[in-house]
Amino acid sequence: MNVKTRFPPSPTGFLHVGSLRTALYNYLFAKKHGGTFIVRVEDTDRERLVEGAVESLIRTLKTVGISYDEGPILVGDKLSEKGGNGPYTQSQRLPIYKEHAQKLVEQGSAYYCFCSKERLEELRNQQQIAKLQTKYDRHCLKLDAQEISRRLAAGESHVIRLQIPDGETTFQDEIRGSITISNSEIDDQVLMKADGFPTYHLAVVVDDHLMGVTHIIRGEEWISSVPKHVILYKAFRFPMPSFAHLPLILNPDKSKLSKRQGDVAVEDYLEKGYLPEALVNFVALLGFNPTGDREIYTIDELIEAFDLTKVNKSGAVFDRTKLDWMNGQYIRSIDSKRLFELAQPCFGDASTLPDEQKKKILGVEKERLVTLKELEERAKMYLALPEYPATDLVWKKADAQDATLHLTNLLKLVESTEPAVFDRRELIEEAIKKYIGDNGYQNGNVLWPLRVALSGQTQSSGPFDLLWVLGAHEGIQRITIAIDKLTS
Ligand code: GLU
Ligand code: ZN
């Protein structure tokens, strides 16, 4: 079978981390089986549309490295499409839905409903008061053909409803197994709305069929819609696809993952300096782990290992601490060229420094970074020495005189050293360690004041790294400032 999966977001703003996982699993599954992965825009809920959301979604998928074979793309700033089964935006497919809904009416699987909002509201209220299931009462199912024609011809506002058959509906979920529900619990779902737009239920079934989707992989929140979809597939005599519903994503306290944008928008995580590779790796493990004892996987390893039947049924906790840890792992292990490219927007004031120096800063600072955004703060001191008190220069087991002595000696050492030595970190280290060793000094007496002199901070990278990044000229200036502070 030719596997085809899809990611059909509604363009309502940002990309939720849960949607990233859905997109990713569909991508992994398609790749694993040599299949096709498509993206479709589900914009039939006109009230929830957000300007620019489709473009931003396409960009975000690209940034995180999830590619698709068919669907909307950007050519420059302009929306376009690739693949031959389009259009891939539902609002451009209205005649298709209309035709399909009418076919159902003709064959007696769906019917026109002219009920007013007020009548439906009243019905609902009464059912609630009587503690009955709230459900459409099939008032319009009794209308005869003549009356329907007359009212349609008069342009009366109407919807088309699916007539749910008696009996029960069973389907297989790849993750959850067999699920059966009594049809009496299902409402006569509206398929076409009064505004001429289809509802989600009609559009999703028609499109998944016409676009050849074989596997529907999505969040658990959609599982209650499946019986309606199964009834629609049967009414249309479409072959049934496979269904797989992914576990909920939870906060550490097991509540459903918060909806606050700052906590769940992929764009915000990228903005905060999380690496696309780390986010994808982290999100992939929300509900699935190929081996159980390892956390770091490349995308190719994930494709290789992906198995729907191994996805957990129970909720997956979104653990920020683990994401932070993973991001740090990626920052330290990823190719330095790629890291520099990703870090470019994060240098803040220091972005004016030459690239060569910024690369050195990144090389040194990455050892301690949780996110790339932290570079902004950390890089400042390479650009300008921060203000600091003379007392910071004094190591806890020494005094100001001792600090002055070493800084004066180190100044001479740096001044008399070949400039080329400063291109190689290990040579700087060698020269300073020789000074310590030859004289039998303690590391702290020498390295503490040097480090504070170079960074202006009591917590910073080591002095050899600092001297290497700053270079001889700036190093000499900073050591001189320190000696002045101690002796004035
Ligand atoms: N448009 C739906 C959403 O916003 C898609 C649900 C589905 O995958 O069927 O997530
Ligand atoms: Zn009605």
Side-chain angles (χ1 to χ4, degrees), residues 269-286:
Y269 281 100
L270 294 169
E271 171 79 15
K272 283 184 218 158
Y274 288 89
L275 271 52
E277 289 84 347
L279 270 177
V280 163
N281 189 157
F282 173 76
V283 157
L285 301 189
L286 291 173

Side-chain angles (χ1 to χ4, degrees), residues 315-415:
V317 172
F318 189 92
D319 180 354
R320 281 290 295 264
T321 323
K322 180 167 159 187
L323 173 59
D324 285 351
W325 169 82
M326 200 173 270
N327 203 51
Q329 296 293 310
Y330 271 88
I331 287 179
R332 285 180 271 296
S333 64
I334 207 165
D335 169 67
S336 57
K337 235 175 105 186
R338 166 88 174 136
L339 186 67
F340 186 61
E341 181 185 300
L342 290 167
Q344 278 289 17
C346 303
F347 279 95
D349 294 344
S351 57
T352 54
L353 292 171
D355 274 5
E356 274 321 301
Q357 200 178 8
K358 282 194 279 182
K359 283 180 188 161
K360 286 179 170 182
I361 295 176
L362 186 60
V364 165
E365 293 299 328
K366 74 175 188 188
E367 296 308 321
R368 276 164 217 81
L369 293 178
V370 171
T371 67
L372 291 176
K373 200 77 185 166
E374 291 169 0
L375 256 187
E376 207 172 301
E377 260 320 292
R378 291 182 168 272
K380 275 187 185 156
M381 60 116 168
Y382 293 97
L383 186 69
L385 179 68
E387 200 36 63
Y388 68 95
T391 46
D392 281 358
L393 289 160
V394 181
W395 187 43
K396 59 179 190 292
K397 292 192 201 162
D399 55 22
Q401 222 183 336
D402 182 65
T404 312
L405 168 79
H406 292 301
L407 286 175
T408 310
N409 289 338
L410 288 165
L411 182 63
K412 281 188 210 135
L413 178 73
V414 174
E415 278 172 340

